[in-house]
Amino acid sequence: MNTSYKWLKKYVPDLDAAPQEFMDAMTLSGTKTEGYTCLDKDIDKIIIGQITKIEPHPDADKLVVCQVNVGTENVQIVTGADNAFVGAKVPVVLDGGRVAGGHDGSKTEGGIEIKAGKLRGVPSQGMMCSIEELGSTREFYPEAPENGLYIFDEDAEVGADAIEALGLHDTIFEYEITSNRVDCYSILGIAREAAATFGKKFIPPKGECKGNDEKASDYISVRVDDPDLCPRFTARVVKNIKIGPSPKWMQRCLSASGIRPINNIVDITNFVMEEYGQPMHAYDLSTIAGNQIIVRRAKDGDKFTTLDGQERLLDHDVIMICDGEKEVGIGGIMGGENSMITEDVKTVLFEAATFDGTNIRLSSKRIGLRTEASGKFEKGLDPENAEAAINRACELIQELGCGEVVGGIVDVYSKKPEQVRVKLEPEKINALLGTDISKEQMLEYFKPLELEYDEKANELIIPSFRQDLKCTADIAEEVARFYGYDNIPTTLPTGEATTGKLPFYLMVQNLARNVAEFCGFSQGYTYSFESPKVYDKLMIPADSKLRDAIEIMNPLGEDFSIMRTLSVNGMLTSLGTNYGRRNKDVRLYELGNVYIPKELPLKELPDERMKFTLGFYGKGDFFSLKGVCEEFFAKAGLGSRFDYKTDDLKPFLHPGRQADIYLGDVCLGYLGEVHPLVADSYGIGQRAYIAVIDMPNVVANSTFERKFEGIARFPAVTRDLSMVVKKDIRAAEIDNMIRQRGGKDLESVSLFDIYEGDQIAEGYKSMAYSLVFRSKEKTLTDDDISKSMKKILNGLESMGIELRS
């Protein structure tokens, strides 16, 4: 957003801050000013002169010698301009003055100094200038000739400041406006902020225009078929139009904002758009069939030619302005070529509407057309601003004598926004800011911002143009920025944050990092965006729910077109890259999200689940990885009792070397050896292992509470069991049976040997367990141990297990 300083002063007349002071103060009060450009920084000592005499140059056919009256004296200037004539009033730079650049528009930093001298032997005491030499172009000064001197109007004062006459004694400020401050995308919005910042009076235009005794509703009718996309549509009519150039002051304002002046009608709509931040459009009423406007959605496949002569392909989400027979404009973006204003126009229909910001942004993108108007609409404009802007346009029509305004307004306002009220809580605001500002002082800050105070209800009434003020925190920000951020004392924050305590889930994540790194794993990061081809690479079945991934609307490419539903691909890709670079014994871990949609297409946010993924190749095996997982679970307070199930086999893991990890009925994750075919597809030439732990389930069952137990006072008794077991009986089943039957004195159970060989029958295996018994109350006797062992042996016998002799 750029604004002209001179334009701002029309509404804040007492504003007299220097450019740097203005920029600093506005930035500190919350309207961030990126910088400024002084339009007259490279030009100096340029006045209006009048040519009184022209003679041929004695030694050059293309040069003439001019006598120029500059007010205080007559000077002689040699020029090659072919549009010089006696009586012409032109900009003259005298000896020692500066111009911005050359006649071709090229500019020189600091300007070019002009000195008196001789041209082909004839003295010349200065230079007469083109508009390019004054630092501008014909785009913003359309009355300037294509080549030659700039000619002032006949009423220009000889000897006066030419820079002032051209409106170049001005400064253009550039702002970075955040999207929530849509009111500041206008000259009036910035002027209101400037007045509040410097404590000056803000004088907005009246914007009043009753028009004649006729009714606009007799000329035009308006129907809005989709009020959700167009909550308000206002229209006024102006007849007896007189097309011509707009006045110089308006042209200068538009030029300073980077808008090319065209004619009085178009310039008025552009002027009001910049002034109020409300885009407008003007239609030739004679082209509006049936004298009616219908606001509706386009039809899929419709084509429409806009004002720029381009044909646009439409769909049903694009809002269209139509007459009784055809489309005449794309709502909020651009009017149509079929209703454009021409010099033959007699009656003009002015339109100022409010459209849904999100719809305008998406429509603008789909049809490939972004305009100054759409850029404003997509931020969500204030519906109340539409009527004020259209009345201001009609006021300018009357003021400039461009036509006769018809009385009344056609206003289709489907749903007026509810007035926002926020309770004024000075104590809460002071506690939030760390200040001690009185209620009266706060109210003084609010007055220039047009925030009214209802003393009875103790509420602030928020004006409709401040859509960013909704709660006490927003009001506190208003107080802070006008009290002065630099005046707020340094204080310590209060609340839980001062204890330095991390949220519980982050503590568990940090524990996962510590355990992984202690066990030799290095942290890695992989993309959440993946390719649909990953599922085939991992041998995921076609009907698997894992393939129900969220598609990205604007992907970087097919390889990054979906959100991942499992974290395995990233880990295997990293392991494969390391293997390809001949790195040995690689151990990696990652903490990253997967994205599980609740339904497709998306109607709500997906389930984002943090996964703790471990992967390695080289030294170690399945049981090494199992030990790392159990170490993490133990540190997280989950104990040491887990079930390992093979009911849900993962296709990307070895079918005989994988397991799901359960804590009761809760699945904590899975681990296993990577399927050889999958490992080969990732370029891993040896056995690789991965584990994926579901962090939300771990966090839900974790605890950092630890109960102290004293040193055992009584000795332990150890018993070893060697048994012959069928191969299909899992160690976990035996472990559970021993613990179940062992009683309260059984302290620990550990498997210390597994053997399969010639001495063991086929289909069986030998397993050896060490059992430790200890009582907290007494020294155990052989009888105590024997009772427990008998129960254990009976339980094992019921499982078909025999003791080895």
Side-chain angles (χ1 to χ4, degrees):
M1 175 70 188
N2 294 347
T3 66
S4 156
Y5 200 23
K6 289 182 72 172
W7 197 349
L8 282 181
K9 288 182 178 181
K10 289 179 180 289
Y11 316 116
V12 192
D14 298 334
L15 193 60
D16 57 358
Q20 187 65 47
E21 179 189 359
F22 180 86
M23 183 178 83
D24 294 342
M26 291 292 284
T27 298
L28 286 174
S29 69
T31 307
K32 186 179 180 184
T33 310
E34 292 285 316
Y36 63 89
T37 301
C38 296
L39 298 182
D40 58 356
K41 67 174 182 175
D42 295 331
I43 50 181
D44 188 32
K45 292 181 67 174
I46 303 177
I47 59 177
I48 299 175
Q50 185 171 26
I51 301 174
T52 58
K53 188 178 180 181
I54 299 177
E55 296 177 332
H57 192 286
D59 198 26
D61 294 339
K62 293 186 178 181
L63 298 178
V64 293
V65 181
C66 300
Q67 303 300 318
V68 183
N69 174 19
V70 293
T72 57
E73 60 179 328
N74 285 325
V75 297
Q76 179 172 288
I77 298 176
V78 177
T79 181
D82 55 8
N83 67 328
F85 60 90
V86 174
K89 295 181 179 179
V90 296
V92 177
V93 54
L94 300 176
D95 182 30
R98 287 178 299 125
V99 294
H103 183 74
D104 59 356
S106 59
K107 295 186 179 181
T108 303
E109 187 66 31
I112 301 171
E113 186 175 358
I114 302 300
K115 294 183 178 180
K118 291 184 177 182
L119 284 177
R120 300 292 293 266
V122 176
S124 182
Q125 296 171 277
M127 186 177 83
M128 295 181 287
C129 306
S130 67
I131 195 64
E132 289 78 12
E133 289 160 337
L134 296 176
S136 191
T137 65
R138 291 186 66 249
E139 181 180 8
F140 301 119
Y141 290 83
E143 73 276 12
E146 187 171 354
N147 293 296
L149 306 176
Y150 181 83
I151 309 296
F152 286 101
D153 293 338
E154 293 182 2
D155 58 355
E157 181 184 350
V158 174
D161 185 348
I163 303 172
E164 177 66 28
L166 289 167
L168 294 174
H169 281 314
D170 197 2
T171 303
I172 307 301
F173 291 95
E174 180 183 355
Y175 307 90
E176 181 184 320
I177 306 298
T178 52
S179 57
N180 66 320
R181 288 303 306 273
V182 66
D183 59 300
C184 286
Y185 284 94
S186 65
I187 300 291
L188 288 177
I190 297 294
R192 186 183 293 108
E193 289 291 312
T197 299
F198 291 95
K200 305 296 183 181
K201 189 173 182 180
F202 172 57
I203 307 175
K206 293 181 179 179
E208 297 176 354
C209 181
K210 293 183 178 179
N212 61 22
D213 295 333
E214 297 178 277
K215 293 182 179 180
S217 57
D218 293 336
Y219 284 79
I220 193 74
S221 65
V222 176
R223 189 183 84 216
V224 178
D225 290 345
D226 202 325
D228 289 339
L229 298 186
C230 180
R232 190 175 195 184
F233 192 101
T234 65
R236 293 200 69 170
V237 176
V238 180
K239 64 181 186 178
N240 301 326
I241 291 293
K242 300 173 184 176
I243 295 290
S246 53
K248 291 290 190 294
W249 65 264
M250 181 175 285
Q251 292 187 29
R252 301 300 173 254
C253 287
L254 293 175
S255 298
S257 295
I259 299 175
R260 179 173 62 90
I262 298 175
N263 60 49
N264 48 10
I265 301 300
V266 176
D267 290 355
I268 285 172
T269 61
N270 286 333
F271 183 88
V272 173
M273 179 174 69
E274 293 299 305
E275 187 178 46
Y276 279 76
Q278 170 68 51
M280 294 182 58
H281 193 68
Y283 300 92
D284 185 341
L285 188 60
S286 66
T287 66
I288 305 299
N291 282 32
Q292 60 177 324
I293 290 291
I294 301 171
V295 184
R296 60 167 176 78
R297 292 173 181 265
K299 297 176 182 176
D300 288 329
D302 280 357
K303 294 181 179 180
F304 181 71
T305 303
T306 46
L307 275 171
D308 57 3
Q310 299 294 313
E311 188 176 70
R312 311 288 176 178
L313 182 64
L314 311 175
D315 60 44
H316 75 285
D317 286 326
V318 178
I319 194 76
M320 299 298 295
I321 313 298
C322 311
D323 61 18
E325 299 175 352
K326 61 187 181 299
E327 296 93 348
V328 294
I330 304 177
I333 301 177
M334 185 178 280
E337 190 178 50
N338 56 8
S339 61
M340 65 187 297
I341 298 294
T342 65
E343 291 185 359
D344 299 327
V345 65
K346 300 300 180 184
T347 305
V348 165
L349 171 67
F350 278 116
E351 163 247 306
T354 306
F355 298 99
D356 178 72
T358 302
N359 175 266
I360 295 299
R361 177 175 60 82
L362 295 175
S363 296
S364 176
K365 183 177 179 181
R366 284 197 304 275
I367 66 176
L369 178 61
R370 194 171 191 274
T371 61
E372 183 80 10
S374 68
K376 293 184 184 295
F377 275 121
E378 66 188 28
K379 294 171 177 64
L381 298 186
D382 172 21
E384 294 294 318
N385 202 33
E387 183 178 0
I390 201 168
N391 286 339
R392 171 61 169 161
C394 291
E395 181 185 46
L396 289 170
I397 289 284
Q398 286 188 336
E399 184 181 319
L400 304 183
C402 304
E404 181 184 351
V405 179
V406 173
I409 181 172
V410 178
D411 187 0
V412 179
Y413 203 168
S414 58
K415 185 179 180 181
K416 191 172 183 178
E418 293 183 8
Q419 190 175 57
V420 177
R421 286 173 169 256
V422 179
K423 189 175 181 180
L424 180 58
E425 302 173 289
E427 299 83 5
K428 192 172 181 180
I429 291 172
N430 280 319
L432 187 63
L433 299 178
T435 55
D436 185 18
I437 305 171
S438 68
K439 177 180 178 180
E440 291 69 28
Q441 184 61 56
M442 291 182 186
L443 292 173
E444 286 299 313
Y445 295 146
F446 299 148
K447 284 180 182 177
L449 299 175
E450 301 182 27
L451 274 64
E452 298 179 13
Y453 177 56
D454 184 343
E455 187 172 0
K456 187 176 181 180
N458 189 33
E459 292 177 333
L460 291 170
I461 303 172
I462 309 301
S464 60
F465 58 81
R466 287 303 302 272
Q467 300 179 27
D468 59 310
L469 302 183
K470 297 177 181 176
C471 62
T472 299
D474 298 328
I475 301 302
E477 184 180 3
E478 298 302 294
V479 173
R481 65 193 187 99
F482 289 108
Y483 177 73
Y485 292 113
D486 51 336
N487 294 324
I488 296 177
T490 302
T491 57
L492 287 173
T494 59
E496 187 180 350
T498 59
T499 65
K501 184 178 180 182
L502 287 173
F504 185 76
Y505 76 95
L506 288 181
M507 294 170 66
V508 178
Q509 288 182 24
N510 283 344
L511 176 65
R513 290 188 183 91
N514 292 338
V515 170
E517 290 169 10
F518 177 80
C519 295
F521 287 77
S522 298
Q523 187 168 12
Y525 290 96
T526 60
Y527 290 111
S528 295
F529 299 165
E530 291 186 336
S531 168
K533 298 176 182 177
V534 164
Y535 300 119
D536 294 332
K537 204 172 181 181
L538 293 172
M539 302 194 298
I540 304 293
D543 59 350
S544 172
K545 289 186 177 181
L546 290 173
R547 289 182 178 263
D548 295 336
I550 301 167
E551 294 185 5
I552 299 167
M553 291 181 64
N554 54 342
L556 298 173
E558 186 184 3
D559 290 344
F560 302 95
S561 61
I562 61 171
M563 303 294 290
R564 66 181 179 183
T565 56
L566 71 169
S567 59
V568 175
N569 173 67
M571 178 59 67
L572 293 179
T573 300
S574 298
L575 292 176
T577 300
N578 279 275
Y579 187 85
R581 294 177 182 175
R582 301 183 181 181
N583 292 328
K584 296 181 179 179
D585 301 323
V586 174
R587 293 187 168 205
L588 299 174
Y589 79 93
E590 180 190 15
L591 282 162
N593 286 344
V594 296
Y595 305 86
I596 311 299
K598 297 170 185 175
E599 60 177 319
L600 290 175
L602 282 180
K603 293 182 180 178
E604 55 182 316
L605 291 175
D607 183 13
E608 298 185 30
R609 301 190 70 82
M610 174 68 70
K611 299 291 184 179
F612 177 30
T613 308
L614 299 151
F616 78 93
Y617 64 80
K619 292 181 181 178
D621 55 18
F622 176 92
F623 297 101
S624 303
L625 188 57
K626 178 173 176 282
V628 175
C629 294
E630 293 187 350
E631 174 74 8
F632 167 54
F633 295 147
K635 295 291 184 184
L638 272 68
S640 58
R641 300 294 302 119
F642 305 101
D643 289 329
Y644 291 88
K645 300 180 181 179
T646 56
D647 300 334
D648 181 22
L649 294 179
K650 308 293 185 294
F652 47 84
L653 297 179
H654 192 295
R657 297 169 190 159
Q658 62 168 292
D660 292 333
I661 311 169
Y662 275 84
L663 178 65
D665 295 329
V666 178
C667 182
L668 300 178
Y670 57 87
L671 77 161
E673 179 184 325
V674 179
H675 195 292
L677 294 178
V678 174
D680 184 61
S681 69
Y682 281 92
I684 306 172
Q686 63 184 94
R687 290 186 176 185
Y689 302 87
I690 59 170
V692 179
I693 298 172
D694 187 68
M695 292 299 286
N697 283 345
V698 172
V699 170
N701 292 278
S702 295
T703 177
F704 289 108
E705 294 181 3
R706 299 292 184 267
K707 197 171 184 179
F708 171 76
E709 292 186 5
I711 297 173
R713 294 171 54 196
F714 300 100
V717 179
T718 303
R719 292 285 187 271
D720 291 343
L721 286 176
S722 180
M723 59 193 83
V724 178
V725 182
K726 290 181 180 179
K727 281 189 177 182
D728 60 352
I729 298 178
R730 294 184 293 118
E733 297 176 48
I734 298 173
D735 190 287
N736 287 338
M737 178 60 73
I738 294 173
R739 290 180 186 277
Q740 239 177 13
R741 299 287 184 115
K744 64 177 182 178
D745 293 335
L746 180 61
E747 185 176 85
S748 67
V749 179
S750 58
L751 173 67
F752 66 86
D753 183 59
I754 298 179
Y755 172 73
E756 295 179 35
D758 296 337
Q759 299 175 6
I760 305 297
E762 187 176 348
Y764 288 83
K765 58 187 174 182
S766 172
M767 302 179 72
Y769 282 85
S770 177
L771 284 60
V772 178
F773 294 88
R774 190 196 308 268
S775 172
K776 296 179 181 180
E777 301 168 352
K778 63 177 183 176
T779 300
L780 295 175
T781 64
D782 283 341
D783 288 342
D784 296 327
I785 303 300
S786 296
K787 290 178 182 177
S788 296
M789 288 299 296
K790 186 175 181 180
K791 291 180 181 179
I792 292 171
L793 293 175
N794 288 338
L796 294 175
E797 186 177 346
S798 68
M799 296 174 65
I801 297 173
E802 299 179 3
L803 290 181
R804 292 188 67 186
S805 56

